[in-house]
Amino acid sequence: MTDLQTRAAPSRAGALRRAAPALLGYAAVRALGLLVLFVWSAARDKSGYTLLTARWDALWYVRVAELGYGYEVRLANGDVHSNLAFFPLLPWLERLVAAVSPLSYADGGFVVGALASLAAAWGIFAVADRVHGRRAGVCAVLLWAALPVGIVQSMAYSESLFTALAAWSLYAVLTGRWVTAGVLALLAGLTRPVGLAVVAAVWAAAIASFLGERRAAASLGERRTPSPVRRILGMLLAPLGTAGYVLWVGHRTGGGPLGYLDVQAGWRNGFDGGYAFARFVAGKFTSFPSAVAGAGLILGVASVVWLYLAGLRRRQPLPLLVYSGAVTALALCASSYFGSKPRLLMPAFPLLLPLALALARQRTRRSAWILGALAAVSSVYGAFWLNGSGPP
């Protein structure tokens, strides 16, 4: 990581020019996805815009923006679905957009999601460019845009906002901007529970940097190391978002520091080390049709693990490994909502870097054909998915 920090970061205007091909390509892929969704939805007498802004989690975020916290739904089986499960930054921004414009809260969620997805694409490019170069950066962004569940990036969901904050926090770490990294980690922690992954990345990188400086100073016979004030400040800021919201929920519910876990339990969600997911996969092997789906799930998990190990073999910077490892573990080891796991893995963009590097080494025409095909498949799948069961 020290080598990465020694390279000067480009100016803002220069960085935007450098990222322009990636951002234009990203916008094109997402525009294709939206076009296919709207055409598909119209053919089924549905509103594609409604599917993006007023279904599933998007409705819960709008309720937080409109009503504040305290709204809940009691199901017939006794479960309680409380909107306290949803972190506040996205609904705060929805409320802000509605306050300064004629747009509704749902419209605000769509606007925030669209802008955040572009910011996320830029952040992913910045990280990948820093680690592997510009071509790999462009490929990483297009791979992220063309994920099978990439349509979520265009929804009034919090994944794009979280990914933007996480990517830029990681970039700040790679460039030694510790206070910026801490502030962005704080905001990521106000966006989704997986903000803990960003905190872990900031802390791991800072600790590794401290140890590296001490070893370097000792080898040179120096008694003093560079001032750690900004690094320590970044470390202190990073967990405040997650900790603040979780502690507030515990106080509000009377459940103490672990009250947020009780709220998640009302949604039948928790962390069991992957036991429930393993049982879910095993249960697929009861008949031939479902066994195919089970085999696909095993292949998907194996691919994720392989990509992480590939990043490890290529010696990805420590904060990227810690972040992607934490996001992957939290996604795969959650005990409920198995259909949402691909969506929960979407912020783990460092997993795509080995593939992006491989594509960058191909001829431009070949990589363009591959990425174009992936974008087309992603667009069709996204339209089919949202017009079917959709993301839980």
Side-chain angles (χ1 to χ4, degrees):
M1 198 177 80
T2 303
D3 293 338
L4 292 172
Q5 289 182 3
T6 59
R7 292 168 48 193
S11 66
R12 188 170 301 175
L16 180 57
R17 285 195 298 270
R18 187 171 179 84
L23 297 180
L24 291 173
Y26 177 80
V29 174
R30 293 283 17 101
L32 175 63
L34 291 175
L35 176 63
V36 174
L37 171 66
F38 289 141
V39 171
W40 191 303
S41 301
R44 295 172 59 89
D45 293 323
K46 292 184 179 181
S47 167
Y49 187 72
T50 298
L51 294 175
L52 294 171
T53 61
R55 295 285 302 276
W56 308 291
D57 287 6
L59 279 176
W60 286 92
Y61 284 118
V62 165
R63 289 180 183 128
V64 174
E66 182 178 8
L67 306 173
Y69 284 107
Y71 178 86
E72 62 183 29
V73 175
R74 294 184 177 271
L75 305 184
N77 64 358
D79 290 345
V80 178
H81 288 185
S82 168
N83 67 357
L84 288 167
F86 296 87
F87 277 51
L89 186 56
L90 177 58
W92 284 349
L93 294 175
E94 290 177 340
R95 186 177 296 176
L96 175 62
V97 172
V100 300
S101 73
L103 300 177
S104 68
Y105 295 123
D107 296 334
F110 181 76
V111 170
V112 171
L115 295 176
S117 68
L118 284 171
W122 192 0
I124 292 169
F125 171 82
V127 170
D129 179 28
R130 189 83 183 174
V131 177
H132 292 307
R134 189 182 190 187
R135 282 176 62 88
V138 173
C139 291
V141 169
L142 295 181
L143 283 171
W144 190 68
L147 288 172
V149 293
I151 190 65
V152 175
Q153 297 163 21
S154 300
M155 297 180 69
Y157 269 43
S158 62
E159 275 78 8
S160 290
L161 179 60
F162 174 79
T163 304
L165 294 167
W168 283 109
S169 179
L170 292 170
Y171 180 74
V173 169
L174 294 176
T175 53
R177 300 171 181 178
W178 296 101
V179 176
T180 300
V183 171
L184 292 171
L186 184 159
L187 294 173
L190 286 171
T191 308
R192 297 186 62 81
V194 75
L196 289 171
V198 190
V199 177
V202 172
W203 275 62
I207 292 171
S209 183
F210 280 130
L211 295 176
E213 286 179 354
R214 285 184 177 276
R215 285 194 297 267
S219 66
L220 296 174
E222 298 177 357
R223 295 184 179 181
R224 300 182 64 181
T225 57
S227 173
V229 173
R230 297 183 67 82
R231 215 169 315 165
I232 292 173
L233 181 56
M235 293 176 70
L236 293 176
L237 287 169
L240 294 183
T242 302
Y245 182 69
V246 168
L247 291 175
W248 178 80
V249 170
H251 174 73
R252 181 183 176 99
T253 61
L258 300 180
Y260 182 77
L261 298 181
D262 296 332
V263 172
Q264 286 285 7
W267 288 78
R268 292 186 178 267
N269 200 10
F271 188 88
D272 64 357
Y275 176 71
F277 184 45
R279 288 189 59 186
F280 173 77
V281 174
K284 293 291 184 181
F285 291 92
T286 56
S287 64
F288 176 74
S290 62
V292 175
L297 288 172
I298 292 175
L299 181 61
V301 172
S303 299
V304 169
V305 173
W306 179 84
L307 287 172
Y308 184 79
L309 293 177
L312 190 63
R313 287 194 300 269
R314 293 187 179 278
R315 299 184 179 181
Q316 275 186 12
L318 177 65
L320 301 189
L321 291 171
V322 171
Y323 168 75
S324 59
V327 172
T328 300
L330 290 171
L332 294 182
C333 295
S335 60
S336 188
Y337 297 102
F338 306 115
S340 67
K341 291 192 182 297
R343 173 171 65 87
L344 299 179
L345 282 167
M346 192 171 65
F349 68 89
L351 294 175
L352 299 174
L353 295 189
L355 296 177
L357 184 59
L359 279 173
R361 290 172 174 170
Q362 300 291 320
R363 292 181 178 178
T364 301
R365 180 176 295 181
R366 177 177 295 180
S367 59
W369 274 107
I370 293 172
L371 290 167
L374 291 175
V377 171
S378 171
S379 299
V380 172
Y381 179 76
F384 168 77
W385 190 39
L386 289 197
N387 279 278
S389 61

